[in-house]
């Protein structure tokens, strides 16, 4: 057989070893070997072969459990290696990163394998040898005959290679050992390639495990299908959504979602997103429609990846991302007046129920703030809060916006259709602001929904059950609207189960100063350079004396304006400017004697009240109908005095 070292080289190395053992300094030994000899001497490694140090049975069982993946991957590869080298009377050892022998492959030969599974292989116990050196250096090594620290191993050649992960972290090592006379240098390359193969298999396993872990952590259901539509993989979320027994999955995606031609989709190689389909699960094995899902289809080279959400999850997500969030709580309602405190207490009691609330009050009193607070204090606080401005919905689109539509329902409709606001608010709250402006046709549909909790999309036939709490608000007098046939009386009674009237600011003057300071402090805290300001007693009294037709919203805007325009830390009466309406202006209307004077005062009041006739009527102590007649007589159009408020 070919010898890695010549006999002369072997004799020379043995002489160097004897010099070292006698206390001398070798002058011709590989640095790798000499450094190991020195470590062995420092460790007190014995020359005689001691009883190998081994773990207890229980401790080794724990190690085997911890290294189960390494053993499972390496064992088949090393079995094949051993079959190739056993004719050379070699033996193999597999160890973990700590040098604990996990498996051995050995047979009869010139040398005996003294290492058993559970043995700790180290320089202290085994001296300079292949396994300890490869674990120490993390590099493949050969230790030839006399290079071993212990004399008993001088007839053996050890070829060892570490097992490393992709980050060169040590996972373990493997060794081939045989008698010097049977050694062939190809074993070095052979073993190194085996170690690389084990490392690659471990890396692949880790990648698959990571993929599975990510798939299980993913909130959506995931299906992997091949070119025929057969399901090859599915995460646990999909299995739960489809109500499938553990370890069982259907043969083909068409078995679950028969409404789609999956073969055509796979052939077209065109992706689609959020297609709403009914699924047939094991719970509905009779083939009847099951749960609704939103599926997204992403083609791959060998099939496709299908992700799925329940339709209710999609609605919740859409409502939370596209809708208005309920960010206000009852603690955000600042008040000092007894009247307002009673209103807040009543709203808190309403929040505990699930009935419809009709919130009435003048513009700017905070109706939406109360709606959000009721939602956040209810059992639906963690569900969607969807706001619909009924006055801003175009008449021809109000039905589709509220109740949704199916594909082809009208020109311009989305291909997959669209859910309406009620579906998006499922399990949560829908706030119908400016309900008094709702189109009569939509009033009929809303009444039907309040009666049975069901919606049918425009152009569709499927009836969907929706669980929604309805809060509505208006600044109109709905009883007058009923008398004028502009609002349905039966709808009013359905909405007015829990009435909540928000008092105007002029009826709770105790709140004016608390709100004024709150708005100024909030602006100062958000705006660098703005300082907190204070009112003189005269200015505070004047602020409370004035009438605020725009209510809290007008007061807020006035305080913001003062923070930027007033000079000095103390605010004077002169700083207030045109904020609010003086009582004299309102009283002056009643005292006006000429038509010109009355017309001038009405125009001034409309300008102050932003064109709101109801507020002007309240300030003038006059009926709204008679006031409209007077405005018509003078040719005054209230809409001209509406101003756009920007924040």
């Amino acid at each position: 057989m070919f010898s890695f070292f010549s006999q002369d080289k072997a004799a020379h190395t043995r002489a160097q070893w004897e010099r070292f053992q006698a206390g001398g300094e070798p002058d011709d030994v590989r640095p790798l070997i000499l450094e190991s000899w020195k470590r062995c001497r420092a460790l007190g490694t014995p020359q005689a072969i001691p009883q190998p140090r081994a773990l207890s049975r229980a401790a080794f069982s724990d190690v085997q459990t911890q290294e189960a993946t390494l053993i499972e991957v390496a064992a088949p590869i090393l079995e094949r290696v051993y079959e190739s080298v056993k004719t050379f009377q070699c033996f193999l050892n597999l160890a973990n990163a700590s040098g604990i022998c996990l498996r051995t492959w050995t047979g009869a030969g010139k040398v005996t394998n003294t290492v058993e599974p559970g043995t700790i292989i180290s320089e202290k116990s085994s001296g300079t040898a292949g396994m300890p050196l490869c674990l120490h250096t993390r590099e493949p090594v050969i230790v030839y005959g006399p290079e071993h620290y212990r004399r008993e191993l001088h007839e053996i050649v050890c070829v060892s290679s570490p097992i490393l992960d992709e980050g060169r972290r040590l996972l373990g090592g493997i060794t081939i050992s045989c008698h010097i006379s049977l050694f062939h240098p190809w074993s070095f390359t052979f073993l190194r390639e085996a170690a690389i193969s084990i490392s690659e298999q471990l890396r692949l396993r880790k990648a698959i495990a990571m993929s599975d872990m990510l798939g299980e952590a993913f909130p959506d259901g995931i299906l992997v299908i091949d070119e025929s539509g057969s399901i090859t993989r599915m995460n646990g979320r999909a299995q739960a959504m489809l109500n499938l027994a553990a370890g069982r999955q259907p043969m083909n995606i068409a078995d679950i979602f028969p409404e789609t031609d999956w073969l055509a989709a796979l052939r077209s190689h065109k992706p689609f997103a959020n297609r709403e389909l009914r699924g047939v699960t094991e719970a509905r094995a009779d083939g009847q429609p099951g749960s609704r899902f939103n599926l997204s289809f992403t083609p791959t080279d060998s099939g496709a990846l299908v992700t799925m959400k329940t339709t209710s999850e999609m609605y919740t997500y859409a409502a939370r991302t596209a809708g208005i969030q309920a960010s206000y709580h009852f603690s955000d309602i600042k008040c000092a007046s007894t009247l307002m405190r009673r209103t807040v207490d009543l709203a808190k009691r309403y929040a505990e129920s699930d009935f419809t609330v009709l919130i009435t009050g003048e513009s700017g009193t905070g109706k939406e703030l109360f709606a959000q607070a009721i939602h956040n204090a209810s059992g639906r606080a963690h569900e969607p809060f969807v706001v619909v401005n009924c006055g801003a919905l175009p008449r021809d689109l109000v039905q589709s916006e509220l109740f949704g539509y199916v594909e082809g329902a009208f020109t311009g409709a989305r291909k997959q259709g669209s859910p309406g606001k009620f579906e998006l608010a499922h399990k949560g709250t829908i706030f119908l602001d400016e309900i008094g402006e709702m189109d009569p046709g939509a009033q009929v549909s809303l009444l039907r929904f309040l009666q049975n909790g069901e919606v049918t999309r425009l152009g569709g036939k499927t009836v969907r059950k929706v669980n929604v709490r309805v809060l509505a608000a208006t600044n109109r007098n709905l009883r007058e609207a009923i008398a004028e046939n502009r609002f349905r009386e039966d709808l009013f009674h359905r909405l007015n189960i829990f009435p909540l009237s928000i008092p105007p600011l002029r009826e709770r003057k105790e709140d004016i100063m608390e709100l004024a300071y709150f708005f100024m402090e909030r602006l100062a805290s958000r705006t660098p350079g703005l300082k907190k300001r204070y009112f003189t007693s005269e200015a505070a009294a004047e602020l409370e004396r004035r009438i605020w037709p725009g209510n809290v919203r007008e007061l807020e805007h006035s305080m913001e304006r003062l923070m930027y325009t007033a000079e000095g830390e103390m605010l004077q009466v002169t700083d207030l400017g045109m904020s609010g309406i003086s009582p004299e202006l309102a009283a002056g209307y009643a005292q006006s004697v000429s038509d010109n004077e009355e017309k001038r005062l009405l125009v001034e009041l409309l300008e102050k009240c932003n064109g709101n006739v109801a507020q002007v009527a309240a300030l003038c102590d006059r009926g709204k109908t008679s006031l409209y007649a007077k405005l018509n007589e003078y040719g005054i159009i209230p809409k001209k005095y509406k101003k756009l408020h920007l924040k």
Side-chain angles (χ1 to χ4, degrees):
M1 283 291 176
F2 177 87
S3 294
F4 182 67
F5 281 1
S6 65
Q7 290 185 356
D8 290 343
K9 182 63 176 178
H12 178 72
T13 302
R14 186 172 291 107
Q16 296 290 319
W17 178 84
E18 289 173 350
R19 179 188 295 180
F20 179 81
Q21 295 297 337
E25 186 68 21
D27 56 12
D28 189 19
V29 177
R30 288 191 291 161
L32 174 72
I33 301 299
L34 181 57
E35 289 169 6
S36 177
W37 286 356
K38 290 179 178 179
R39 288 195 299 272
C40 292
R41 175 186 284 171
L43 290 169
T45 304
Q47 278 298 306
I49 299 178
Q51 185 69 23
R53 183 187 168 202
L55 299 177
S56 67
R57 181 175 297 179
F60 183 52
S61 178
D62 290 341
V63 171
Q64 286 179 306
T65 301
Q66 294 168 7
E67 305 291 356
T69 302
L70 174 60
I71 295 171
E72 185 178 351
V73 170
I77 295 173
L78 295 181
E79 286 282 358
R80 292 193 294 272
V81 171
Y82 181 67
E83 286 299 316
S84 300
V85 301
K86 67 181 182 181
T87 54
F88 298 99
Q89 300 177 21
C90 297
F91 60 84
L92 272 69
N93 293 331
L94 168 68
N96 69 0
S98 299
I100 299 171
C101 181
L102 302 175
R103 290 286 298 273
T104 63
W105 291 263
T106 186
K110 290 188 175 183
V111 293
T112 302
N113 188 3
T114 59
V115 177
E116 296 291 337
T119 301
I120 301 175
I121 308 171
S122 66
E123 286 184 333
K124 183 173 179 59
S125 62
S126 302
T128 303
M131 185 69 79
L133 269 182
C134 86
L135 296 179
H136 178 76
T137 62
R138 302 190 184 191
E139 298 289 344
V141 297
I142 296 178
V143 180
Y144 179 83
E147 289 184 324
H148 288 87
Y149 184 76
R150 288 167 47 170
R151 186 186 299 273
E152 290 81 358
L153 302 177
H154 283 189
E155 299 299 315
I156 293 176
V157 177
C158 291
V159 179
S160 302
S161 187
I163 301 170
L164 307 172
D165 68 8
E166 63 273 17
R168 288 194 58 79
R169 184 174 65 92
L170 185 65
L171 303 177
I174 51 179
T175 296
I176 292 179
S177 300
C178 66
H179 192 270
I180 290 177
S181 62
L182 299 173
F183 175 72
H184 196 288
W186 56 256
S187 59
F188 180 80
T189 302
F190 197 48
L191 193 68
R192 184 176 61 184
E193 292 303 316
I196 291 173
S197 179
I198 294 170
S199 296
E200 285 297 311
Q201 288 292 323
L202 289 170
R203 185 192 62 77
L204 183 59
R205 285 248 183 149
K206 183 179 178 181
I208 293 173
M210 182 63 70
S211 174
D212 289 342
M213 184 176 70
L214 289 173
E216 294 305 320
F218 204 61
D220 297 344
I222 299 175
L223 305 174
V224 180
I225 61 176
D226 63 18
E227 294 175 342
S228 66
S230 295
I231 297 173
T232 58
R233 287 185 66 189
M234 150 187 322
N235 69 348
R237 174 67 175 143
Q239 202 162 29
M241 291 166 73
L242 296 172
N243 197 29
L244 295 172
R248 181 155 187 261
Q249 59 188 43
M251 293 297 296
N252 199 287
I253 193 170
D255 298 336
I256 308 173
F257 302 106
E259 295 177 10
T260 291
D261 187 343
W262 293 100
L263 288 178
L266 287 162
R267 284 194 297 267
S268 69
H269 221 65
K270 292 182 179 179
F272 60 76
N274 297 325
R275 179 176 294 180
E276 187 175 327
L277 298 171
R278 284 192 181 275
V280 179
T281 67
E282 286 200 346
R284 302 302 302 271
D286 55 0
Q288 294 301 310
S291 301
R292 286 186 164 279
F293 300 93
N294 281 70
L295 271 62
S296 295
F297 175 83
T298 305
T300 65
D301 291 339
S302 56
L305 178 71
V306 178
T307 58
M308 50 191 288
K309 291 179 181 287
T310 62
T311 299
S312 60
E313 287 176 325
M314 287 294 295
Y315 291 169
T316 299
Y317 173 77
R320 287 178 176 167
T321 55
I324 296 176
Q325 299 298 301
S327 55
Y328 290 107
H329 299 74
F330 283 117
S331 58
D332 296 311
I333 301 176
K334 308 300 178 185
C335 60
S337 65
T338 301
L339 179 59
M340 194 61 170
R341 286 175 178 172
R342 288 175 180 170
T343 304
V344 171
D345 289 340
L346 181 61
K348 287 180 179 178
R349 292 197 293 273
Y350 287 174
E352 296 173 359
S353 78
D354 217 19
F355 291 108
T356 302
V357 179
L358 179 60
I359 307 171
T360 57
E362 295 179 5
S363 178
T365 51
K367 296 185 289 297
E368 184 171 338
L369 187 149
F370 269 88
Q372 292 192 25
I374 290 171
H375 172 78
N376 281 329
S378 73
R380 299 173 182 263
H382 299 294
E383 300 298 338
F385 179 80
V386 176
V387 177
V388 179
N389 188 330
C390 299
L393 289 176
R395 179 171 297 183
D396 55 342
L397 293 179
V398 62
Q399 294 274 14
S400 61
E401 283 292 315
L402 291 177
F403 305 107
Y405 57 85
V406 299
E407 180 179 352
F410 53 87
T411 303
R414 291 182 181 177
K415 187 174 182 181
Q416 301 301 328
S418 177
K421 300 296 186 183
F422 282 98
E423 286 185 66
L424 292 177
H426 181 56
K427 297 184 181 179
T429 302
I430 190 166
F431 176 49
L432 303 175
D433 198 10
E434 297 188 33
I435 188 70
E437 312 297 330
M438 178 173 274
D439 177 74
Q443 290 182 33
V444 176
S445 299
L446 175 58
L447 178 63
R448 187 181 302 115
F449 171 78
L450 292 174
Q451 289 171 339
N452 55 32
E454 296 175 344
V455 298
T456 302
R457 292 186 182 181
L458 185 65
K461 298 179 180 179
T462 303
V463 176
R464 302 163 190 255
K465 200 76 174 177
V466 179
N467 176 13
V468 173
R469 185 186 191 178
V470 176
L471 305 179
T474 183
N475 59 9
R476 285 185 174 273
N477 186 325
L478 291 184
R479 294 190 185 276
E480 286 186 6
I482 291 170
E484 296 169 1
N485 292 321
R486 290 184 290 104
F487 200 83
R488 294 183 63 95
E489 185 175 7
D490 47 5
L491 176 58
F492 171 77
H493 292 303
R494 281 280 180 180
L495 294 172
N496 201 41
I497 296 175
F498 281 164
L500 184 68
S501 177
I502 314 300
L505 196 55
R506 63 179 175 275
E507 294 180 7
R508 49 188 179 103
K509 290 185 176 292
E510 305 95 319
D511 295 337
I512 291 176
M513 290 312 301
E514 179 168 347
L515 288 167
Y517 276 121
F518 169 74
F519 292 137
M520 290 195 299
E521 290 172 4
R522 186 178 65 181
L523 182 60
S525 67
R526 295 175 177 176
T527 311
L530 282 184
K531 297 180 180 179
K532 186 177 178 180
R533 298 178 188 272
Y534 302 89
F535 292 95
T536 63
S537 57
E538 294 81 4
E542 177 63 21
L543 205 64
E544 291 177 332
R545 193 178 75 91
R546 294 187 177 185
I547 298 171
W548 299 89
N551 293 291
V552 178
R553 184 185 295 120
E554 182 184 359
L555 178 63
E556 179 182 6
H557 293 165
S558 296
M559 295 307 101
E560 291 173 346
R561 185 167 57 252
L562 280 174
M563 288 288 285
Y564 281 100
T565 60
E567 297 180 0
E569 184 178 351
M570 298 300 297
L571 298 174
Q572 309 294 327
V573 174
T574 54
D575 293 320
L576 300 181
M578 299 299 291
S579 298
I581 292 178
S582 67
E584 290 80 11
L585 176 59
Y589 171 79
Q591 299 170 1
S592 61
V593 291
S594 67
D595 288 348
N596 287 339
E597 180 68 9
E598 184 179 36
K599 181 177 180 180
R600 183 187 65 79
L601 287 171
L602 284 174
V603 168
E604 190 170 348
L605 285 170
L606 282 169
E607 288 176 342
K608 287 287 187 180
C609 295
N610 191 33
N612 191 314
V613 176
Q615 290 179 359
V616 173
L619 290 171
C620 298
D621 194 23
R622 185 169 186 169
K624 194 167 70 169
T625 302
S626 66
L627 182 58
Y628 266 113
K630 180 60 68 174
L631 293 172
N632 187 55
E633 178 185 333
Y634 288 138
I636 299 173
I637 302 174
K639 289 183 178 180
K640 287 184 177 180
Y641 301 96
K642 285 186 177 290
K643 297 183 285 290
L644 180 64
H645 285 287
L646 298 176
K647 284 191 66 176

